[in-house]
Amino acid sequence: MGVLSDITAGEPRKLVRPVFFTVLSDLINIVPFVLVIAAVGMIFEPFIHPGTPMNLDGLWRVSAALLLYMVVIFAGEVGAYRASYRAAYAVAAEGRANLAEHLRRLPLGYLTRRDPGDLANMMMGDFTQIEQSLSHNLPQLIGALILPIFALVGLAFLDWRMAVAMFIALPMAVLIVLASSGVQRSLGSRHIRAKINAASRLQEYLNGIRVIKAYNLSGSRFVRLEKSFRELMRESIRFEGLIGPVVLLAVASVRVGLTVLVLVGVYLLLGGTLDILTFVIFLVIGSRVFDPLTMALINFPELQYHALAGERILALRREPIMQGQQHPPEKHDIEFASVTFGYGSDAVLHDVSLKMPEGSMTALVGPSGSGKSTILKLVARFYDPQSGRIVFGGEDIRNMDPEALLERISMVFQDVYLFKDTIGNNIRFGREGATFAEVEGAARKACCHEFIMKLPMGYDTPVGEGGSTLSGGEKQRISIARAILKDAPVVLLDEATAFLDPENEIEVQKAISALIHGRTIAIIAHRLKTVRRADNIIVLDGGRIVEQGSHDELLAKNGLYARLWKLQQEAQGWSIAA
Amino acid sequence: MKHALKKKTGIMRLLEIAGEKKGLLICSGILSMASAIFMLIPYVSVYYILAELLSHAADLSSVDGPLMVRWGWIALGSMIAGLITMYLGSMASHIAAFRILYGLRVQLAEHIGRLPLGYLNQTSIGAVKKTLEQNVEKIEKFIAHQIPDMFNALATVVVMFAVLFYLNFWMALVCLAAIVLGFGIQTSMWVGEQAKENVKLYYDALEEINASAVQYVQGMPAVKVFGQTVHSFRCFYDDMIRYRDLCIRFSDSFQNGFALFKTILASLLSFILPVGVLLLSQNPNSMAFALVLMFFIVLGPGTATPLYRFLYLSSSLRDISEGVDRIDAVFSEPAVPEPQHPKKPETYSVQFDGVSFSYDTTGTSARIEALSGISFTAEQGKVTALVGPSGSGKTTIANLIPRFWDVRGGAVRIGGVDVRQMRTEDLMDTVSFVFQDTFLFFDTLYENIRVGKPGASREEVYAAARAAQCHDFIERLPQGYDTLIGEGGVYLSGGEVQRVSVARAILKGAPVLVLDEATAFADPENEYKMQMALKELVKEKTVIVIAHRLSSIREADQILVLQEGRIAERGVHAELLDKGGVYRRMWNAYTDAASWVIEKGVPA
């Protein structure tokens, strides 16, 4: 049942229609069989009772019925086709929509940590597999399981002993298949390990290829890669070799029914308790009845493979979404009260308490890994803290609608994403419905106007996906223009953005100055000189606040800040010389 | 392009690339065919039992019970033999598939190792990875499953029709005609203008929805920040509904044809029986003909089932040849040509002599960055700095020294030897480069540093680490130098990774050092340490440095100021300042930027 839920991405009820129509069509297909059996009876009749003439009229009628009945088969096929394909596309579309909606409401932090390629692939590729199972594999499998039951019941009326003989080994096949899932999993773990290992070796080889070449390591690194490929090949073969017999054993135990049927039939026939025609009917049916089941068994691994896609989707759907509906109040002071937070089990921030009054500028400084950017991410509710409270304008942000909160916050971080759209529209993203004059105004303030006008089509120049045609500094300034247009009262800023593009540093600096004018600002600072006029400088180390105060106060304390300051003064005077 | 005609495509090309003999596949084919024939025998058994029953129908006591039982056992035996040969055939094809994948991966990896460094950037590597990952499964499925299936189906159909035609021409012909009709209807849906148009529409829509999904997911963080997820969601939703509707229309257009196809193949007996009855009516008392008719009834419907397997053949073949084309695109990327008579330099000054260069930008949206008429000498033991606005060509110059690319005109020489005359290995031993995109292997820190000089002793590694200012932070790690990096190990900060890469370069001790002054790295403590590390690295080497911060190259022995691919000015710091040209302007801008203070209430 887990498989059913996985393969429909949590919507097993969607299967009812396609399965119903497929089974209906399968049942429709039984009728010609019955007609053929009737014909077989008629053909046998003169030989069983010599002297009776061949019932040619009857045979003609059966033939005519068979030909006419093709219309019914056709109708059945159309019904099954429509039900399966339409259901498949509908389930996939609905599933994609639900996943997209879920994604939209996941914490930002989760989204930024996942590989977007993975997520997009889940959205498209995995659902394509689900389409495939819904339109093909699953109805086929379920039909193949239901038909023998109908056959068993129907034939039991004819002769229950023969009917039982025919399907006597079926329970064994079911047991083998059920057991095989477990076997497959335990056998599969080594295979999967080899797969992962080969993938990461390849990843390392490709990503490190420049280093490998630069240090003449092609030999040894290549050996490592080659070994992992060889191991993968060996494990794949081993896995296939061991899992194959299980499936075939199941097939064999289904098909053994024919021989059992023959043996029991001959015994009963010679014993005089079975009439010849019944035996003939069972033989004709017995030659065909196992085919759908065999096909289903052979295709079962594929179904399981598709179920993995569903499992991935369901796992994502289980990721908790952000709660909270309230709108943030009109005040914009920010307070952390004993906040502890970690991405995994290890805390990155320990018991952090701080205040950022409305309209003030707070700088966060400290060595890398000290928790500076984590604090900014918590303000914007990328994540919720494990303990403690973050208060925005007097309200716990946990009660706020995450998007409404984000409307009050502008962020200028190092990674900028530009949409595959015109530059103008990319800036307009800051505020929907902004006029062209407003867009241009923001662009001017962010020092983008000049370079935009140099582009072939000005503001209408299309940007590649992710902004691939612009330099780092240019992208950065566009993101600042966006933020200026958004005009949010709180600005979160990573100062490093200013020197992403050293040649255009001044431009970016001007843009940042325009952005932060008159707002509540929290800024991650790397060059201490830049933030020495901040109202409050918070010095972090190892996820704890070690000092805070103004520049002069902190220098006077002669602690970590003073040490960092001195180091930077020295670095300033540095010069490369042989 | 003449030889292109002879070039193998699809599966044959795949075998060629992977260096795989056809033996295993032929083996698999033979076993699959054998399996097909074994699997037909149970039907034959049923037929013989029916024949036995029919011929003694009038008098049951004369029925040969043991004979029928024997046929029952034969059915079982041949079914088991059929499954075993099927298993062996499938194993042969799986082994072939896995070997082909192995060969393919190894060949590709080897070829990539020979490509110019310039080609191997993030984009191209990403494309290669995608090619490998996406095509591997299709190739595996095709070789491992579809090939034996095909042989199986072929053998079944050929044997069946041979027997059917031998037994009765007319009934066999009707059976064949019905099958041909069914497949005719099926394929007719795929040919013709309308169908082609539909297929194109479908693929276009698929591409569009894929792009839409990627944009939706990748842009999600940005969209969220601007509170437009609902809008963005609606756009994606609309795209998806459009795609769904198109799919449904697309599949609807196949509905009747496909249903008819299935109806015909499921109703072969409906075609056979009337002909059989017609023939029977001419000779109603012939036991022989009645038996033939029984044979057709038992085996006739089975002729269609294997043919279903051919349905997806053409789309699989298209997938495979498309995948192979993509893999071939990587193989057709020319490797770095190695010199016939390699030379080694004795001294290590770097000389550019009238170098011109331009990137091959066909098909990329990158800006064209070119060099023309670049001539300079970077003396051994001196520091030469390259400065200039982004896009001026300073990175390009640096890239030409370790031969990321080959020059278009002029020459780059080390100690008088053209770099193209040097073996790649020797060139790499001569030149160290520390660029911004550093990479650590999934290995211990110790091994990661020792990469610089594989035979280095423990002491040498420590010394390099100390010089590169990494020793302290490494010692603080849980397992010190034996700490694993990445993948379940420790993740280092950007600055730490930089310093490890500098340690490597120090250990390598190559006489020419090309350096991207990447010290503008994000945190103050690391920045200072990086600078200390670099100081150690540049001692007594020919140093060429790409400078971003002018203050760090004030003391360089030679500063080359680049502008639009040419050297605009050259000299030492003081001279260039006096000139009052490009460098002077850059210096002024730089000193302004360096004194930047973020303040509230300073409107732009």
Side-chain angles (χ1 to χ4, degrees), chain A residues 190-204:
Chain A
R190 259 175 78 172
H191 180 222
I192 287 166
R193 254 205 313 280
K195 225 174 181 168
I196 291 171
N197 189 36
S200 31
R201 286 292 74 75
L202 180 66
Q203 174 107 356
E204 175 189 81

Side-chain angles (χ1 to χ4, degrees), chain A residues 311-365:
Chain A
E311 218 175 282
R312 277 195 292 272
I313 291 166
L314 286 182
L316 183 64
R317 292 289 304 273
R318 279 193 290 270
E319 281 295 326
I321 54 171
M322 286 237 146
Q323 304 297 328
Q325 282 92 41
Q326 283 177 31
H327 268 253
E330 287 304 321
K331 288 181 293 178
H332 304 110
D333 50 318
I334 298 158
E335 192 184 336
F336 278 47
S338 310
V339 167
T340 297
F341 172 77
Y343 297 97
S345 49
D346 296 333
V348 179
L349 292 179
H350 306 269
D351 197 26
V352 167
S353 296
L354 56 86
K355 278 195 173 122
M356 303 180 191
E358 180 150 13
S360 71
M361 174 165 119
T362 307
L364 302 164
V365 303

Side-chain angles (χ1 to χ4, degrees), chain A residues 108-350:
Chain A
L108 249 178
Y110 179 82
L111 291 175
T112 46
R113 264 189 311 162
R114 280 295 293 255
D115 176 4
D118 260 12
L119 292 175
N121 188 38
M122 207 177 279
M123 193 81 85
M124 298 312 303
D126 285 355
F127 272 110
T128 306
Q129 290 192 16
I130 283 173
E131 271 173 13
Q132 165 105 24
S133 334
L134 277 180
S135 58
H136 290 104
N137 311 42
L138 214 48
Q140 184 201 35
L141 178 75
I142 293 174
L145 289 176
I146 290 177
L147 270 189
I149 297 172
F150 274 98
L152 180 68
V153 173
L155 290 171
F157 284 109
L158 207 55
D159 189 304
W160 69 269
R161 299 164 303 180
M162 291 293 279
V164 169
M166 192 183 244
F167 292 112
I168 191 115
L170 196 59
M172 188 146 103
V174 173
L175 281 180
I176 291 171
V177 169
L178 289 181
S180 81
S181 310
V183 175
Q184 193 165 1
R185 207 158 299 143
S186 63
L187 277 179
S189 67
R190 259 175 78 172
H191 180 222
I192 287 166
R193 254 205 313 280
K195 225 174 181 168
I196 291 171
N197 189 36
S200 31
R201 286 292 74 75
L202 180 66
Q203 174 107 356
E204 175 189 81
Y205 182 79
L206 290 177
N207 288 343
I209 188 78
R210 282 160 80 120
V211 176
I212 289 171
K213 286 200 75 165
Y215 288 96
N216 281 330
L217 296 168
S218 299
S220 64
R221 291 291 146 176
F222 187 75
V223 167
R224 213 153 87 135
L225 177 70
E226 191 269 344
K227 254 195 208 145
S228 78
F229 284 163
R230 186 173 289 275
E231 185 62 21
L232 173 62
M233 173 176 69
R234 240 186 253 133
E235 283 302 322
S236 306
I237 291 173
R238 180 175 160 272
F239 179 67
E240 206 59 51
L242 288 174
I243 206 72
V246 181
V247 172
L248 294 181
L249 196 63
V251 172
S253 59
V254 168
R255 297 198 82 109
V256 80
L258 179 63
T259 300
V260 178
L261 188 74
V262 170
L263 301 182
V264 173
V266 170
Y267 176 77
L268 294 176
L269 186 77
L270 296 181
T273 60
L274 181 70
D275 74 281
I276 185 163
L277 208 53
T278 310
F279 190 27
V280 168
I281 290 168
F282 270 97
L283 278 175
V284 173
I285 293 174
S287 67
R288 287 277 157 228
V289 76
F290 303 115
D291 288 357
L293 260 179
T294 308
M295 279 304 268
L297 282 174
I298 289 178
N299 291 336
F300 191 65
E302 190 172 8
L303 195 73
Q304 279 181 317
Y305 177 74
H306 287 174
L308 288 180
E311 218 175 282
R312 277 195 292 272
I313 291 166
L314 286 182
L316 183 64
R317 292 289 304 273
R318 279 193 290 270
E319 281 295 326
I321 54 171
M322 286 237 146
Q323 304 297 328
Q325 282 92 41
Q326 283 177 31
H327 268 253
E330 287 304 321
K331 288 181 293 178
H332 304 110
D333 50 318
I334 298 158
E335 192 184 336
F336 278 47
S338 310
V339 167
T340 297
F341 172 77
Y343 297 97
S345 49
D346 296 333
V348 179
L349 292 179
H350 306 269

Side-chain angles (χ1 to χ4, degrees), chain A residues 81-82 86 100 104 106 204 210 213 226 230 241 305 403 486 526 529-530 533 535 568 570 576, chain B residues 87 102 109 115 137 216 224-225 229 251-252 255 404 425 442 508 522 524 528 552 594 598-600:
Chain A
Y81 183 91
R82 285 180 85 82
R86 285 174 168 250
R104 180 175 89 73
L106 282 173
E204 175 189 81
R210 282 160 80 120
K213 286 200 75 165
E226 191 269 344
R230 186 173 289 275
Y305 177 74
E403 281 194 36
K486 183 175 176 184
H526 306 284
K529 236 175 54 180
T530 319
R533 310 247 170 91
D535 298 305
Q568 281 207 347
E570 281 171 51
I576 298 179
Chain B
Y87 172 66
Y102 166 80
L115 291 179
E137 262 170 37
Y216 178 76
K224 254 183 118 110
V225 168
T229 62
S251 73
D252 278 357
Q255 171 192 298
F404 275 38
E425 263 174 52
F442 170 57
K508 182 174 170 181
Y528 180 65
S552 62
I598 297 183
E599 275 175 292
K600 299 178 294 170

Side-chain angles (χ1 to χ4, degrees), chain B residues 388-604:
Chain B
S390 64
S392 61
K394 49 191 194 302
T395 308
T396 310
I397 288 181
N399 282 346
L400 291 178
I401 301 166
R403 234 183 136 189
F404 275 38
W405 309 104
D406 276 336
V407 297
R408 289 282 148 93
V412 177
R413 296 191 192 95
I414 296 177
V417 176
D418 193 318
V419 289
R420 284 168 295 186
Q421 297 286 304
M422 295 171 68
R423 291 196 317 137
T424 307
E425 263 174 52
D426 294 336
L427 180 63
M428 291 303 160
D429 281 342
T430 311
V431 183
S432 266
F433 46 94
V434 179
F435 289 163
Q436 292 191 19
D437 55 336
T438 47
F439 178 81
L440 298 188
F441 294 102
F442 170 57
D443 209 332
T444 62
L445 268 164
Y446 178 76
E447 287 300 330
N448 261 298
I449 295 173
R450 213 165 68 131
V451 154
K453 188 170 150 197
S457 69
R458 206 135 187 126
E459 280 63 41
E460 282 177 289
V461 171
Y462 289 163
R466 262 193 211 99
Q469 314 288 321
C470 346
H471 187 72
D472 288 348
F473 86 79
I474 293 174
E475 291 281 80
R476 276 203 303 271
L477 292 172
Q479 276 107 41
Y481 280 86
D482 298 324
T483 308
L484 280 174
I485 302 298
E487 289 177 65
V490 168
Y491 287 90
L492 300 180
S493 77
E496 289 165 342
V497 173
Q498 283 284 351
R499 277 182 277 160
V500 171
S501 78
V502 170
R504 263 182 201 161
I506 290 175
L507 191 61
K508 182 174 170 181
V512 177
L513 176 64
V514 184
L515 193 62
D516 188 328
E517 176 243 8
T519 53
F521 229 88
D523 85 78
E525 205 167 11
N526 283 339
E527 183 174 340
Y528 180 65
K529 287 184 178 156
M530 264 307 290
Q531 290 171 352
M532 293 295 102
L534 289 177
K535 216 159 197 142
E536 192 63 33
L537 187 53
V538 304
K539 275 180 186 163
E540 290 149 33
K541 306 266 163 65
T542 308
V543 180
I544 292 155
V545 54
I546 303 170
H548 303 290
R549 303 220 221 153
L550 299 184
S551 70
S552 62
I553 48 126
R554 266 173 319 198
E555 290 162 41
D557 301 286
Q558 173 176 231
I559 297 172
L560 304 172
V561 185
L562 288 151
Q563 220 175 11
E564 287 168 10
R566 290 169 190 281
I567 298 178
E569 292 174 342
R570 62 178 86 197
V572 294
H573 180 71
E575 290 168 12
L576 289 170
L577 277 188
D578 287 347
K579 261 192 196 159
V582 188
Y583 186 80
R584 171 93 218 185
R585 278 202 303 281
M586 287 173 67
W587 178 256
N588 289 344
Y590 171 74
T591 37
D592 279 356
S595 61
W596 184 45
V597 178
I598 297 183
E599 275 175 292
K600 299 178 294 170
V602 188

